[in-house]
Amino acid sequence: MARLAGVSEATVSRVLNGVGPIKEQTRARVMEAAKALNYVPSALAQGFARKRSGNLGVILPLLPKVNLFSTHYFSELLSGIGATARRYGYDLLLLFREPDEPREYERLFQAQKIDACLILGAQDVEPERLALAELAAAGRQFCLVSQRFEGAGYNTVDADHREGTRAAVHHLLDRGYSRIWFLNGPSSYSNSADRLQGYQEAMLERGASFEPGHVLIGNYSRTSGYRLSAEIERRIRSGEADAIVAGSDRMAIGVLQGLKEKGLLAGRDYGLVGCDDSEGAKLTEPMLSSVAVPFYEMGCQAADQLLAPLAKGETSSSFQLKLPVELIARGSSGG
């Protein structure tokens, strides 16, 4: 190819790998020669030349008895990430971590396996904080999705969970419910704190009392909602509760199923609002009112923020994005 283009092999390498300044006339001769020879460049070789792997790492939690790809949250996020990565010519390298496994994220960069990474399902625990601090100190390109660490300044893409819960509470109050309980997720997730804040603010804004004892804790699974339905049934029958806001559709569906078995129907005997607006919300009877969270768009935004600068040979500026949510009223809240 070098002989056909009338240039050196080093010049051919620089043109094909996009390395260094090249005159447009020289670049055109090399590309013409490549076309004439039906040359297909090696992606691996190009990666070495550019000192890039061409992989976007996606770090995921490995949860017992949970198929991540069947959950609305992870499937939508990964779909958005994958579509955007493909647009930039990147492949995804999925990395699963056990709950107690060391978070050795920096090693992935040191081994040149990834050029940047997105971290899904991160929790505010000490091993996670140490691993992220190590990445930041090394100047690595990474982004947390649906999780933040106050004061750390890490790149984040999230949704406005606080406003979503506020909207859910206001919706129930507008429909005549007044004794609204909240089913939250673990405190190690920042979105749990956001939703709790939204619930508290909405109750106080409308003159309803906020009682810490009216907050129940699940783990965002259907099983945890179903398990807590017995406690919720007692509160409804005693007159202490007449509506529930759940931090995920899966927990809300567990509550709905458990209470239905006990003779209580959402939208008739109590109000119920979930969060995510998953496909399951439209399959329940009655259909579940829910806060729609744009997980697909979050995945797109997170990948784009990291890969757009890399495509130009730059590093991304710091970013903290928060996408809007929307309440979708259906039968479970009398909507």
Side-chain angles (χ1 to χ4, degrees):
M1 188 188 305
R3 184 181 302 169
L4 183 60
V7 299
S8 69
E9 291 183 1
T11 298
V12 169
S13 178
R14 289 199 301 273
V15 169
L16 295 179
N17 293 305
V19 177
I22 297 289
K23 292 181 180 179
E24 182 56 32
Q25 185 180 14
T26 302
R27 191 194 70 80
R29 289 208 311 271
V30 171
M31 297 310 293
E32 280 289 328
K35 183 177 180 181
L37 296 171
N38 292 319
Y39 174 77
V40 178
S42 163
L44 181 61
Q46 285 184 323
F48 281 126
R50 297 172 182 170
K51 295 184 179 180
R52 294 186 191 170
S53 68
N55 291 327
L56 173 64
V58 182
I59 298 173
L60 300 151
L62 190 60
L63 304 173
K65 300 181 181 179
V66 175
N67 182 349
L68 293 185
F69 300 106
S70 70
T71 64
H72 180 73
Y73 172 79
F74 286 107
S75 64
E76 288 291 295
L77 282 173
L78 288 170
S79 294
I81 292 168
T84 305
R86 178 174 180 146
R87 182 158 53 87
Y88 285 102
Y90 264 76
D91 294 321
L92 297 187
L93 182 60
L94 302 184
L95 304 138
F96 295 90
R97 66 168 191 275
E98 298 275 2
D100 299 324
E101 184 181 1
R103 272 90 158 156
E104 297 177 335
Y105 305 153
E106 170 60 10
R107 286 194 180 184
L108 299 170
F109 285 92
Q110 291 175 349
Q112 296 187 349
K113 291 184 177 180
I114 59 175
D115 299 329
C117 75
L118 300 171
I119 302 173
L120 281 55
Q123 297 185 58
D124 190 357
V125 293
E126 188 63 19
E128 195 86 58
R129 283 185 169 274
L130 292 173
L132 296 176
E134 185 180 17
L135 286 180
R140 303 303 190 183
Q141 300 298 293
F142 70 96
C143 173
L144 296 164
V145 181
S146 200
Q147 175 73 4
R148 69 177 188 282
F149 293 80
E150 294 294 347
Y154 299 141
N155 295 330
T156 59
V157 173
D158 206 346
D160 197 345
H161 302 292
R162 170 176 159 271
E163 182 55 37
T165 308
R166 286 183 70 253
V169 172
H170 284 300
H171 167 73
L172 289 168
L173 291 169
D174 288 342
R175 276 155 179 72
Y177 300 103
S178 59
R179 301 177 300 282
I180 303 169
W181 285 49
F182 180 46
L183 176 51
N184 202 10
S187 60
S188 55
Y189 298 109
S190 60
N191 51 40
S192 296
D194 292 340
R195 292 190 181 101
L196 178 60
Q197 183 181 0
Y199 166 72
Q200 180 178 359
E201 288 178 355
M203 295 294 282
L204 296 176
E205 284 166 0
R206 296 291 290 270
S209 63
F210 168 71
E211 300 291 341
H214 292 180
V215 178
L216 304 175
I217 304 298
N219 63 6
Y220 289 127
S221 70
R222 185 198 64 82
T223 302
S224 67
Y226 184 85
R227 175 174 50 81
L228 288 165
S229 66
E231 171 72 11
I232 293 170
E233 180 206 11
R234 287 194 293 271
R235 303 301 182 176
I236 291 174
R237 295 198 185 280
S238 69
E240 297 173 79
D242 63 2
I244 301 96
V245 174
S248 74
D249 283 352
R250 291 165 70 88
M251 289 197 296
I253 290 170
V255 169
L256 186 149
Q257 292 175 334
L259 293 182
K260 198 170 190 178
E261 291 174 3
K262 299 170 176 62
L264 296 174
L265 184 65
R268 184 192 70 188
D269 302 307
Y270 67 98
L272 178 64
V273 178
C275 182
D276 295 341
D277 195 34
S278 62
E279 283 300 311
K282 307 172 188 69
L283 301 176
T284 60
E285 178 56 42
M287 288 195 290
L288 180 66
S289 296
S290 185
V291 177
V293 180
F295 293 123
Y296 181 87
E297 289 76 11
M298 288 167 62
C300 290
Q301 287 278 357
D304 187 69
Q305 290 289 325
L306 290 181
L307 296 181
L310 283 177
K312 302 174 185 176
E314 303 170 356
T315 56
S316 64
S317 302
S318 177
F319 59 90
Q320 290 82 39
L321 304 182
K322 185 178 290 185
L323 278 62
V325 299
E326 180 185 4
L327 176 70
I328 309 296
R330 300 189 180 95
S332 70
S333 61

